[in-house]
Amino acid sequence: MQCPCNPENLYESCCQKAHNNINTVNTPEELMRSRYSAFVLANMDYLQKSHHSTTRPNKREKRKIEAWTKTVNWLKLEVLKTTMGKISDTAGTVEFKAFYMENGKMAVIHENSNFTRENGHWVYVNGKHKA
């Protein structure tokens, strides 16, 4: 299977590694890509694990997100910019666009996401949506 985050890669050699072991993720961009793939695959366990403990969705929000992600057709991910987030850093940002079809219309999530390290691995903290 092609990887949802980058169709030029196979899932097993790309995001599946992160989905099986979050500690293999070295940068916020890798985490962003693996989270996008998790949305495409409705892998809610990984989405929860890769979310900072202070901003993680509760059970009701998790069910709502899971139901929504199963109703859209994910098209592609574009990573626009990253700041910091090197292996030695403790924080970083990723600006991205995630394109999807919903109710017959194309839509896009354009966000600048904040990442940090928690429990020894990268996690998503929050994001600011862009117009």
Side-chain angles (χ1 to χ4, degrees):
M1 167 176 123
Q2 292 175 310
C3 194
C5 89
N6 181 351
E8 294 181 14
N9 296 332
L10 292 175
Y11 173 67
E12 66 188 19
S13 61
C14 195
C15 289
Q16 186 176 28
K17 292 177 184 180
H19 293 169
N20 290 340
N21 180 0
I22 197 166
N23 292 312
T24 64
V25 175
N26 293 313
T27 66
E29 182 176 344
E30 284 180 32
L31 188 74
M32 177 62 243
R33 290 182 174 282
S34 67
R35 284 179 56 81
Y36 172 82
S37 292
F39 271 101
V40 173
L41 301 170
N43 181 344
M44 297 308 296
D45 290 338
Y46 182 77
L47 289 171
Q48 290 291 92
K49 184 186 301 181
S50 63
H51 210 293
H52 195 275
S53 61
T54 62
T55 57
R56 186 176 295 139
N58 63 36
K59 289 180 182 180
R60 184 179 53 75
E61 292 166 330
K62 178 184 169 187
R63 285 191 301 272
K64 195 174 178 182
I65 293 167
E66 182 176 21
W68 174 77
T69 197
K70 289 179 176 181
T71 67
V72 300
N73 180 22
W74 295 95
L75 302 173
K76 70 177 180 174
L77 173 69
E78 289 181 5
V79 174
L80 305 173
K81 181 180 169 187
T82 61
T83 60
M84 298 174 41
K86 304 283 188 261
I87 292 174
S88 61
D89 290 331
T90 58
T93 66
V94 178
E95 182 181 354
F96 70 92
K97 288 184 177 181
F99 296 85
Y100 61 97
M101 293 291 291
E102 184 175 28
N103 300 320
K105 295 180 183 174
M106 190 172 86
V108 63
I109 298 169
H110 184 185
E111 183 177 298
N112 193 30
S113 301
N114 296 301
F115 297 87
T116 191
R117 289 187 187 268
E118 181 179 56
N119 299 322
H121 61 82
W122 286 104
V123 291
Y124 170 83
V125 179
N126 57 28
K128 183 177 181 183
H129 289 273
K130 296 185 158 229

